[in-house]
Amino acid sequence: MSWGLQNRVSRLFKDGRTVMLAVDHGYFQGPTTGLENPRRTVTPLLPYADSLMLTRGVLRTSVDPGQAVPIVLRVSGGTSILKELSDEVVTTSMEEAIRLNASAVAVSIFVGSDHEKDTLANLADMVNAGERYGVPVLAVTAVGREMARDARYLGLACRIAAELGASLVKTYYCEDFRKVVEGCPVPVIIAGGKKIPERDALQLASDAVRDGAAGVDMGRNIFQSSNPVGMIRAVRAVVHEGKSVEEAARAFAKPAKPAR
Ligand code: R5P
């Protein structure tokens, strides 16, 4: 692994863990609830995010280039909720990612779908490009409606992503999640998934880090919360400070201190 690639990976983590804020949902579902105006949603959350996962369109239009948050640039897409989601292509080149000063790029893989091979090729191509320039690739294990989110399937998808050279993998929390982590030789982070009550989302984050996740890449459970800043602070308390769900929930309820 080159020095540059290691340096970029290290930007994403603090003490081996990360709270990545995912706001890339519009790339296939349009103006997602809570993200209708990305700048308005993202700006107050930035001081609490270890990194920000988004597309180049939202990065250019909605994030001040003067801020310092590391960028995880989504570079696969080309599909919408109206059609087959797994039929993705690479939408943004590695050179563009570097121009945008991305710390990593993110590519979805759809293991078990009709387009499995194409999406794995997208990942492999971006890993090859990333190796040339020292840019890590986050593989996103996307799950189709018909696919089980169990340790066997997610373990398969995560391991394939690591074997193809992903530097980190995003997946879903599941029963026997430790098996997923044990079978994956690179850090695993979890997506939050659909909005659920705040306490349940904090429990999800807590269970995931207890079972070996290196953190979260959470979106809707933060920006669709009634108190997004409180929620991301509570998630940080769980992921970085090892706080219990009860303690974190109290942090959620408190008014925010001035950001760092
Ligand atoms: C999904 O493909 C997107 O990459 C999201 O970034 C990801 O699902 C995480 O967001 P959420 O916590 O809302 O599931």
Side-chain angles (χ1 to χ4, degrees):
M1 207 193 283
S2 74
W3 190 94
L5 196 145
Q6 285 184 57
N7 177 257
R8 285 190 169 94
V9 168
S10 74
R11 289 179 197 166
L12 306 177
F13 291 93
K14 296 200 166 25
D15 301 327
R17 289 200 177 154
T18 190
V19 174
M20 189 181 289
L21 175 64
V23 291
D24 60 328
H25 305 63
Y27 91 93
F28 70 99
Q29 56 186 37
T32 306
T33 303
L35 273 184
E36 296 88 346
N37 180 326
R39 181 181 288 273
R40 201 178 299 148
T41 301
V42 165
T43 303
L45 296 172
L46 280 182
Y48 306 99
D50 294 325
S51 62
L52 186 63
M53 181 194 187
L54 75 182
T55 59
R56 70 171 151 186
V58 169
L59 179 63
R60 285 172 178 168
T61 57
S62 310
V63 181
D64 173 5
Q67 58 69 46
V69 69
I71 298 302
V72 178
L73 192 70
R74 168 166 282 282
V75 297
S76 73
T79 58
S80 84
I81 44 171
L82 302 180
K83 293 260 219 170
E84 174 50 53
L85 284 180
S86 66
D87 196 11
E88 286 196 351
V89 294
V90 171
T91 53
T92 309
S93 68
M94 188 57 77
E95 290 74 14
E96 172 74 342
I98 293 165
R99 267 194 295 276
L100 292 166
N101 199 28
S103 295
V105 297
V107 177
S108 288
I109 58 170
F110 292 78
V111 173
S113 76
D114 288 347
H115 299 283
E116 172 186 280
K117 186 171 163 192
D118 297 326
T119 63
L120 293 177
N122 292 341
L123 172 61
D125 289 347
M126 290 313 281
V127 169
N128 287 331
E131 294 292 334
R132 276 201 294 281
Y133 299 112
V135 180
V137 179
L138 164 66
V140 177
T141 64
V143 179
R145 277 182 208 95
E146 68 289 355
M147 288 169 198
R149 292 187 189 188
D150 61 20
R152 194 156 171 228
Y153 171 73
L154 296 174
L156 171 78
C158 289
R159 179 58 176 261
I160 289 171
E163 298 266 354
L164 291 176
S167 292
L168 58 160
V169 177
K170 176 168 93 163
T171 195
Y172 292 90
Y173 185 70
C174 62
E175 203 175 316
D176 289 331
F177 185 72
R178 278 181 200 280
K179 284 191 188 156
V180 176
V181 174
E182 278 162 15
C184 183
V186 298
V188 177
I189 58 179
I190 62 143
K194 281 189 182 153
K195 174 77 176 73
I196 52 178
E198 278 79 5
R199 231 168 224 279
D200 295 349
L202 293 172
Q203 189 68 56
L204 178 75
S206 175
D207 291 349
V209 294
R210 179 200 62 202
D211 292 349
V216 299
D217 179 20
M218 195 174 267
R220 288 164 288 180
N221 278 291
I222 293 173
F223 64 71
Q224 292 179 350
S225 168
S226 58
N227 177 4
V229 168
M231 187 57 185
I232 194 169
R233 291 173 65 229
V235 172
R236 291 190 72 80
V238 166
V239 170
H240 285 304
E241 296 162 37
K243 294 277 198 270
S244 67
V245 171
E246 287 66 35
E247 289 170 308
R250 283 199 287 276
F252 167 73
K254 274 191 204 157
K257 286 188 195 141
R260 65 169 189 254

